[in-house]
């Protein structure tokens, strides 16, 4: 018995020859295997917006139960639905939907999406569904501020158990919401409510019953909530800010550098409560870092770096928080890379955090404070020590152990050991102060390290750092190693 099975082109032709105005599994399959001219995509666009939104949600619900066999379809349906939800948040002239109709349509799909997300046993598409929920929060806030607030309250209430259990997907959703809807998030939240949201996680961290992945996700969400407050306050306190609520919500999504520290901000209060616990846990994981954990730890440093740029108040709300931050980043900057590029990247990431945070004027002044007012838990200095935090950064130790390495030494070390693809030619070419290649133009690691060293000199003050720089120069110039000589010439060029 021989059967002629229909080909994909036959299915596409049959699909497009029908007058159906609905989204079917066959349409998704056609879009996953596009033919010349993308007729499936063209057919998809003929379906009205409200029908696309409803039917994509229904398809996600239908396919989600058998996610393992429908991974591609679920992914496509989620991407398409997120795109449509973003469209709904636009101007009425573009969507053809009155605000009340747009709110009603988003209300129809809100609860089904939350229900899908809360099914933790199906992990393949939870991240994409979380993206849709975050987009829905943004779009609903753009169309109706009050409805957006009510939806935000609903979402925060539903994700509370997941936060308490340190569910990484829940933290990712919270971070996305904070990034997409900072104004609405802080219109319904406060330092007290967010402290309550994260309190269960902190208990698990203190009991050392969480994984590094959970810790990273928790840190990312917590810092993103703090950054969201910085964004919201920037818009609401600006005298030149537009009074149009849609414009305000859109402007709040843009990233902007902050160069001030306000210890009274909710972000600073949250940071003081939770940052020392998070950083101490990071340090514990760092003592026995496994190869598969290095990338996760680099993500943690990336979260801290982003926060140091956009919301330094959260990292330096008090001396204890700042001290913990400096100590933790220094621990990772001092790791022995042993030629491992991943560890080298982690070291650079930790140095990035230190370079950024020390560029904030108020933090710089705190680092240069006399010993009588500076925390002694970083480094116990004698009566002649005027700036223990500064000495800690330069010397890299807490007990005058000269074997430790400060930020300047680590930067120079990375400049020396940076990956160079032309090692043999370098060794044969004598070092020259006028050598145009002494800047390691093909070595991104070394260039990054040199740039960081220059930043530290500027941030910590030439009077404090030049003596250490000259000591490094003397040591490196006296070395017979061509790498040391090339590195010192590049440093002097800076």
């Amino acid at each position: 018995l021989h059967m002629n099975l229909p080909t994909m082109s036959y299915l596409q032709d049959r699909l497009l020859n029908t007058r159906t105005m609905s989204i079917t599994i066959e349409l998704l399959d056609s879009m996953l295997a596009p033919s010349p001219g993308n007729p499936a995509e063209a057919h998809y666009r003929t379906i009205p917006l409200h029908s696309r939104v409803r039917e994509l949600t229904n398809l996600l619900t239908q396919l989600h139960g058998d996610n393992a066999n429908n991974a591609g379809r679920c992914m496509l349906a989620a991407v398409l639905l997120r795109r449509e939800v973003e469209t709904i948040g636009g101007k009425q002239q573009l969507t053809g939907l009155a605000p009340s109709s747009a709110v009603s349509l988003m209300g129809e799909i809100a609860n089904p999406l939350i229900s899908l997300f809360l099914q933790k046993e199906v992990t393949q598409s939870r991240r994409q569904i979380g993206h849709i929920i975050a987009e829905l929060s943004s779009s609903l806030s753009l169309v109706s501020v009050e409805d957006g607030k009510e939806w935000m309250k609903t979402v925060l209430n539903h994700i509370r158990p997941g936060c308490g259990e340190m569910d990484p997907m829940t933290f990712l959703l919270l971070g996305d919401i904070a990034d997409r809807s900072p104004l609405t998030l802080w219109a319904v939240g406060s330092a007290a409510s967010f402290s309550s949201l994260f309190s269960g996680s902190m208990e698990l961290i203190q009991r050392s019953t969480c994984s590094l992945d959970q810790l990273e996700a928790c840190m990312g969400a917590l810092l993103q909530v703090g950054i969201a407050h910085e964004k919201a306050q920037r818009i609401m306190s600006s005298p030149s800010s537009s009074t149009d609520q849609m414009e305000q919500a859109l402007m709040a999504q843009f990233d902007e550098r902050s160069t001030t520290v306000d210890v009274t901000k909710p972000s600073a209060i949250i940071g003081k409560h939770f940052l020392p616990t998070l950083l101490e846990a990071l340090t514990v994981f760092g003592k026995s870092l496994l190869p598969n954990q290095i990338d996760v730890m680099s993500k943690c440093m990336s979260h801290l770096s982003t926060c140091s740029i956009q919301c330094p108040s959260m990292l330096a709300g008090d001396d204890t928080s700042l001290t913990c931050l400096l100590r933790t980043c220094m621990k990772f900057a001092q790791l022995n890379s042993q030629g491992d590029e991943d560890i080298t990247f982690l070291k650079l990431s930790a140095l990035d955090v230190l370079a950024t945070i020390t560029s904030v004027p108020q933090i710089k002044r705190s680092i240069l404070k006399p010993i009588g007012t500076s925390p002694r838990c970083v480094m116990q200095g004698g009566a002649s020590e005027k700036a223990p935090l500064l000495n800690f950064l330069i010397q890299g130790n807490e007990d005058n152990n000269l074997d430790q390495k400060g930020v300047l030494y680590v930067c120079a070390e990375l400049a020396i050991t940076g990956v160079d693809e032309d090692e043999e030619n370098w060794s044969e070419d004598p070092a020259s102060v006028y050598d145009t290649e002494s800047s390691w133009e093909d070595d991104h690691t070394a260039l990054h390290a040199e740039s960081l060293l220059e930043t530290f000199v500027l941030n910590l003050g030439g009077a404090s750092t030049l003596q250490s720089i000259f000591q490094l120069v003397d040591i490196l110039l006296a070395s017979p190693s061509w790498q040391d000589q090339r590195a010192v010439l590049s440093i002097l060029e800076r």
Side-chain angles (χ1 to χ4, degrees):
L1 179 64
H2 177 72
M3 298 179 62
N4 292 319
L5 298 177
T7 63
M8 180 59 70
S9 60
Y10 168 80
L11 292 174
Q12 290 174 334
D13 291 340
R14 180 181 177 186
L15 172 68
L16 299 178
N17 285 332
T18 62
R19 295 181 178 275
T20 180
M21 295 297 285
S22 63
I23 300 175
T24 61
I25 291 178
E26 289 78 14
L27 177 58
L28 290 181
D29 290 340
S30 298
M31 295 175 76
L32 286 169
S35 59
N38 294 322
E41 179 73 22
H43 176 71
Y44 174 83
R45 294 195 197 99
T46 65
I47 302 174
L49 175 61
H50 59 85
S51 296
R52 297 199 298 263
V53 171
R54 292 188 180 104
E55 289 164 11
L56 284 170
T57 304
N58 290 335
L59 268 179
L60 264 179
T61 303
Q62 174 186 339
L63 299 171
H64 196 262
D66 190 15
N67 192 277
N69 295 320
N70 292 289
R73 293 167 175 170
C74 283
M75 176 72 76
L76 178 59
V79 170
L80 292 173
L81 182 55
R82 181 184 180 185
R83 187 174 70 183
E84 305 302 356
V85 170
E86 183 180 14
T87 300
I88 298 174
K91 298 286 186 180
Q92 182 178 347
Q93 298 91 314
L94 300 176
T95 64
L97 294 173
S100 58
S101 299
V103 170
S104 177
L105 180 59
M106 287 187 279
E108 287 182 39
I109 67 173
N111 287 331
L113 288 172
I114 281 288
S115 297
L116 289 176
F117 182 81
L118 294 178
Q119 296 177 27
K120 298 178 183 178
E121 64 276 5
V122 181
T123 59
Q124 288 89 339
S125 58
R126 280 190 79 207
R127 182 69 177 124
Q128 286 70 39
I129 293 172
H131 284 313
I132 304 171
I133 294 172
E135 201 64 58
L136 184 65
S137 302
S138 174
S139 292
L140 196 53
S141 299
L142 291 173
V143 176
S144 171
V145 174
E146 293 306 316
D147 286 301
K149 291 178 182 177
E150 290 304 313
W151 169 242
M152 186 66 73
K153 293 176 185 177
T154 299
V155 173
L156 292 176
N157 183 55
H158 279 296
I159 67 174
R160 178 176 292 276
C163 289
E165 298 166 2
M166 296 196 73
D167 171 45
M169 287 295 179
T170 300
F171 285 135
L172 288 171
L173 171 57
L174 178 57
D176 287 342
I177 290 174
D179 182 54
R180 299 290 293 143
S181 307
L183 277 174
T184 307
L185 181 71
W186 277 97
V188 303
S190 63
S193 63
F194 288 120
S195 294
S196 173
L197 192 64
F198 283 93
S199 60
S201 299
M202 295 303 132
E203 291 178 5
L204 294 179
I205 293 172
Q206 289 170 338
R207 295 202 301 263
S208 300
T209 56
C210 71
S211 67
L212 182 57
D213 288 313
Q214 289 176 309
L215 184 65
E216 179 270 324
C218 179
M219 173 178 283
L222 183 73
L223 297 182
Q224 197 61 55
V225 167
I227 292 171
H229 179 268
E230 194 79 23
K231 291 179 176 180
Q233 187 183 55
R234 183 186 74 229
I235 297 301
M236 299 310 296
S237 62
S238 174
S240 60
S241 178
S242 170
T243 57
D244 183 278
Q245 292 179 330
M246 179 177 287
E247 289 185 19
Q248 287 181 341
L250 291 172
M251 290 299 296
Q253 294 178 7
F254 289 100
D255 298 335
E256 189 170 302
R257 190 182 190 96
S258 174
T259 57
T260 60
V261 174
D262 184 349
V263 298
T264 65
K265 286 182 177 180
S267 54
I269 295 172
I270 294 175
K272 286 185 285 188
H273 284 167
F274 299 130
L275 190 66
T277 299
L278 289 169
L279 294 175
E280 179 62 30
L282 276 187
T283 304
V284 172
F285 275 108
K287 292 178 180 178
S288 56
L289 201 58
L290 301 176
N292 62 350
Q293 294 178 323
I294 297 174
D295 286 344
V296 181
M297 193 63 75
S298 294
K299 289 181 183 179
C300 294
M301 293 298 118
S302 179
H303 295 321
L304 291 170
S305 182
T306 300
C307 191
S308 66
I309 294 171
Q310 299 184 42
C311 187
S313 296
M314 193 165 195
L315 302 180
D318 60 8
D319 285 339
T320 300
S321 298
L322 177 59
T323 297
C324 290
L325 179 68
L326 299 182
R327 183 195 292 118
T328 300
C329 291
M330 187 67 81
K331 290 287 186 184
F332 290 104
Q334 292 172 340
L335 288 175
N336 187 351
S337 61
Q338 297 179 335
D340 189 309
E341 292 185 12
D342 291 334
I343 295 182
T344 296
F345 181 76
L346 174 57
K347 288 164 65 75
L348 288 169
S349 299
L351 289 169
D352 266 328
V353 179
L354 293 171
T356 306
I357 204 70
T358 56
S359 68
V360 179
Q362 289 162 269
I363 295 177
K364 186 186 301 186
R365 288 194 294 271
S366 179
I367 290 173
L368 299 175
K369 283 191 301 185
I371 192 168
T373 57
S374 188
R376 301 175 64 97
C377 56
V378 170
M379 176 178 171
Q380 296 292 338
S384 61
E385 298 289 351
K386 295 182 179 180
L389 287 177
L390 173 65
N391 288 344
F392 173 70
L393 287 173
I394 294 176
Q395 296 179 13
N397 63 84
E398 301 183 70
D399 53 6
N400 294 323
N401 180 356
L402 298 181
D403 291 335
Q404 295 296 320
K405 307 168 183 178
V407 291
L408 303 177
Y409 187 100
V410 175
C411 288
E413 185 181 52
L414 289 170
I416 293 168
T417 59
V419 178
D420 190 345
E421 297 178 355
D422 200 15
E423 214 170 86
E424 293 184 3
N425 288 339
W426 274 102
S427 60
E428 294 173 359
D429 185 17
S432 169
V433 75
Y434 298 110
D435 188 347
T436 57
E437 294 184 353
S438 65
S439 61
W440 303 66
E441 293 176 359
D442 296 325
D443 188 343
H444 299 294
T445 297
L447 284 173
H448 193 174
E450 290 174 17
S451 176
L452 287 170
L453 189 146
E454 183 179 14
T455 300
F456 283 123
V457 171
L458 293 173
N459 292 349
L460 303 179
S464 304
T465 58
L466 285 181
Q467 181 180 357
S468 298
I469 291 291
F470 291 145
Q471 289 174 352
L472 283 173
V473 168
D474 289 340
I475 294 172
L476 295 175
L477 282 177
S479 169
S481 167
W482 64 267
Q483 291 101 329
D484 292 357
Q485 294 176 18
R486 293 289 184 184
V488 73
L489 293 178
S490 297
I491 291 171
L492 288 174
E493 284 180 348
R494 292 278 180 173

